Amino acid sequence: MKKAMIFAAGTGSRLRPLTNQIPKALVPIAGVPLLERVICKLADAGFYDITINIHHLGQQIIDFLQAKQNFGLHIHISDERTQLLDTGGGIRHARHFLDGNEPFLVHNVDILTDANINVLWDNHIRNGAEATLLTEHRKTSRYLLFDPTMHLRGWFNQSTQEIRPAGLTNTYESWAFDGIHVFSPSLFRRMEDARWESSFSIIDFYLHVCADSFIQGCPIQATHWFDTGTPDTLAKAEIWYSNKK
């Protein structure tokens, strides 16, 4: 059974005051909560074992899933209500649900797209990567840097001109990360170091290990991609999905 994790623990600070009363995961788009849209997308792609992390107003997410009878899926709650652990720490905290011999897919709850996640999954399996990140060419302030074989080599902040690792001099291709990736449990051993014991970004982790671990990018064409974490993009997604009805 294919496994997935949904990041639903965010505070939704950029969507306040809307998220003062409901968690970001339950913000509706054309009448359907973000979390429901992502769960249904995963289920349609054959992911029936799903771990969801919670923090801000987490009981509302638990109540929602119970009301929906977990959509008929195997759903686990990774509880971060005592401490928000960021994306990397969230994966590490949920290890007991996700560890094993097979990879799992990770999906941000505020990302809506029709990108084919099974193409991403199959690419990961076929290439033997330890992590595979959905990427595209779009305008953003922060880019991941890949070599010609789409191996991750670094990171670049266009606004501040910061580059990581410091001193990186080769010319690499810049790709935007789309908030969906596949993670192989073999990487959990790299998280056992003391530096990864608490809250940390999964991108920081990937940048730390990419020199000697196969972290790859995978471009996939899609008709739409929305990061609904801001009022502007939330409104654009509302229009797109309302017109789609």
Side-chain angles (χ1 to χ4, degrees):
M1 185 183 300
K2 292 195 293 188
K3 294 182 179 182
M5 180 175 185
I6 301 173
F7 287 143
T11 61
S13 59
R14 294 177 297 171
L15 292 176
R16 290 173 182 158
L18 178 61
T19 49
N20 287 339
Q21 303 299 322
I22 61 172
K24 178 170 64 174
L26 297 185
V27 170
I29 297 290
V32 180
L34 286 167
L35 181 60
E36 181 171 345
R37 288 191 179 277
V38 174
I39 288 174
C40 290
K41 178 180 177 66
L42 292 173
D44 287 346
F47 294 86
Y48 303 137
D49 188 301
I50 300 175
T51 296
I52 301 170
N53 68 347
I54 61 170
H55 176 73
H56 175 61
L57 301 174
Q59 187 61 46
Q60 290 188 34
I61 294 176
I62 293 173
D63 294 343
F64 172 76
L65 292 169
Q66 289 177 343
K68 294 288 186 175
Q69 298 181 314
N70 286 343
F71 296 89
L73 306 172
H74 297 279
I75 291 184
H76 317 281
I77 297 297
S78 182
D79 198 334
E80 297 179 26
R81 282 178 287 184
T82 58
Q83 181 186 8
L84 186 59
L85 296 171
D86 205 341
T87 50
I91 291 175
R92 188 180 191 273
H93 185 68
R95 179 174 181 173
H96 57 293
F97 295 126
L98 302 167
D99 211 350
N101 298 320
E102 300 297 327
F104 55 90
L105 185 130
V106 184
H107 199 304
N108 290 6
V109 77
D110 53 8
I111 298 300
L112 296 179
T113 180
D114 68 345
N116 190 326
I117 55 178
N118 274 325
V119 171
L120 180 73
W121 180 269
D122 292 343
N123 184 283
H124 179 86
I125 301 296
R126 182 174 62 253
N127 291 339
E130 290 194 269
T132 301
L133 286 63
L134 180 63
T135 59
E136 68 169 314
H137 281 312
R138 60 177 170 82
K139 188 175 181 180
T140 183
S141 61
R142 292 166 293 182
Y143 291 96
L144 295 175
L145 304 177
F146 293 90
D147 68 18
T149 62
M150 288 303 288
H151 284 57
L152 179 65
R153 299 303 183 194
W155 173 93
F156 176 63
N157 187 320
Q158 190 164 1
S159 300
T160 66
Q161 296 297 297
E162 179 189 0
I163 191 166
R164 296 165 54 193
L168 192 68
T169 57
N170 293 61
T171 301
Y172 295 116
E173 189 166 0
S174 300
W175 291 84
F177 173 46
D178 276 355
I180 305 171
H181 47 122
V182 182
F183 186 101
S184 288
S186 58
L187 283 173
F188 277 129
R189 75 186 189 279
R190 304 295 299 273
M191 290 182 171
E192 292 169 359
D193 186 276
R195 69 180 295 161
W196 310 115
E197 285 183 352
S198 187
S199 174
F200 63 94
S201 160
I202 192 60
I203 294 299
D204 287 347
F205 173 77
Y206 286 153
L207 290 171
H208 181 75
V209 303
C210 68
D212 55 5
S213 295
F214 183 13
I215 313 299
Q216 70 168 354
C218 178
I220 295 177
Q221 295 296 318
T223 63
H224 69 279
W225 180 90
F226 298 104
D227 175 355
T228 59
T230 68
D232 179 58
T233 51
L234 189 71
K236 291 178 180 178
E238 177 73 24
I239 293 170
W240 198 92
Y241 280 92
S242 295
N243 291 337
K244 190 181 176 184
K245 285 183 178 180

